Amino acid sequence: MKKMVTAVMVAAAVLGSVYALGDKKSKQTVITVLDYQDATAPNSFEDNKLIWEAFEAAHPDIKIEREVLFNEPFHQKTAAYAASGKMPDVFYMWPAGRSSAIHEKKLAKDLTPFMKKDGIYNDYSKACVDPAAQASGYVAEIPFGLTVSHMLYVNKAVLEDCGLSIPKTYDELKAQVPVLKAKGYETILMANMDDWVMQLSLQTSHSLML
């Protein structure tokens, strides 16, 4: 819990723009948040308590305006924000893939200095805070975890029919495509209704970005 709340605090520390509400005696700083959450997930309400409600309770002078979306509606909204050049103060993103526009336009801040200042940088796996692992070239996000799902099942009989063997590198895999197509085989099949399945399997790790 401490780490999750701290992550939000780090994000809050790097806000580009906030504004105050109320009269002179009671001003509240407002933080806008674009969150990615499946409201039907068993732990969705627990996440709210551990992160957002805990943060507001610890900082009564801060008000969180949170927009919660999931799957394609989230990606569409993120793309619209990125196109406008102005993101919410805190938002969920990926190290590349469908968050590429945010990275390319440098719409997220480098969080490394803030993590080191708060003494939490070394609490994370080096893979989570490796600038080379993010399309921006710096730590634009703080992952809450890593999910590795790069798995490919191979029909060995098909490969043998084409005079091929199981490839050991991505380049070898690509080189087999024209050979397989020439024999009338589909090269890669994935039963993914949503686009993110293919992206997750071939390109990225799944992370929370602030």
Side-chain angles (χ1 to χ4, degrees):
M1 173 178 172
K2 180 179 179 182
K3 182 175 290 186
M4 288 188 285
V5 174
T6 304
V8 177
M9 292 172 66
V10 170
V14 298
L15 302 183
S17 61
V18 295
Y19 56 93
L21 293 178
D23 56 32
K24 294 181 179 180
K25 294 183 179 179
S26 61
K27 289 186 177 180
Q28 263 193 322
T29 298
V30 176
I31 296 177
T32 56
V33 175
L34 176 60
D35 196 9
Y36 183 87
Q37 186 183 78
D38 180 0
T40 64
N43 64 336
S44 60
F45 292 105
E46 194 65 21
D47 285 348
N48 294 339
K49 293 180 181 179
L50 289 175
I51 302 175
W52 309 111
E53 292 179 14
F55 181 81
E56 283 192 309
H59 302 84
D61 59 324
I62 296 177
K63 176 180 174 61
I64 295 177
E65 289 188 349
R66 182 164 158 253
E67 183 178 11
V68 182
L69 296 171
F70 183 66
N71 216 343
E72 287 306 310
F74 172 87
H75 293 297
Q76 292 166 4
K77 192 60 177 286
T78 301
Y81 276 124
S84 73
K86 186 176 181 180
M87 299 296 297
D89 298 318
V90 180
F91 49 92
Y92 192 110
M93 56 183 286
W94 280 257
R98 300 191 71 171
S99 296
S100 294
I102 299 173
H103 289 283
E104 292 167 1
K105 294 182 178 182
K106 310 297 183 186
L107 296 175
K109 291 184 178 293
D110 183 355
L111 299 181
T112 302
F114 303 97
M115 296 175 71
K116 290 183 176 180
K117 180 181 178 182
D118 286 353
I120 63 172
Y121 183 82
N122 292 326
D123 292 342
Y124 289 85
S125 163
K126 292 187 182 300
C128 293
V129 291
D130 180 6
Q134 301 191 27
S136 56
Y138 57 81
V139 182
E141 54 83 13
I142 306 175
F144 66 75
L146 296 174
T147 301
V148 179
S149 56
H150 312 313
M151 183 177 292
L152 191 65
Y153 292 92
V154 179
N155 188 327
K156 295 176 68 175
V158 170
L159 291 183
E160 291 172 1
D161 181 51
C162 296
L164 302 171
S165 59
I166 296 177
K168 295 182 179 179
T169 67
Y170 183 60
D171 286 337
E172 290 181 4
L173 177 66
K174 290 195 297 182
Q176 292 183 353
V177 172
V179 179
L180 291 163
K181 293 186 72 173
K183 294 276 288 187
Y185 289 112
E186 295 287 345
T187 53
I188 295 180
L189 300 176
M190 182 172 284
N192 56 303
M193 182 180 295
D194 298 313
D195 294 339
W196 67 265
V197 180
M198 178 66 80
Q199 173 202 313
L200 180 63
S201 296
L202 297 182
Q203 296 178 345
T204 69
S205 304
H206 186 200
S207 307
L208 170 66
M209 323 306 175
L210 298 177

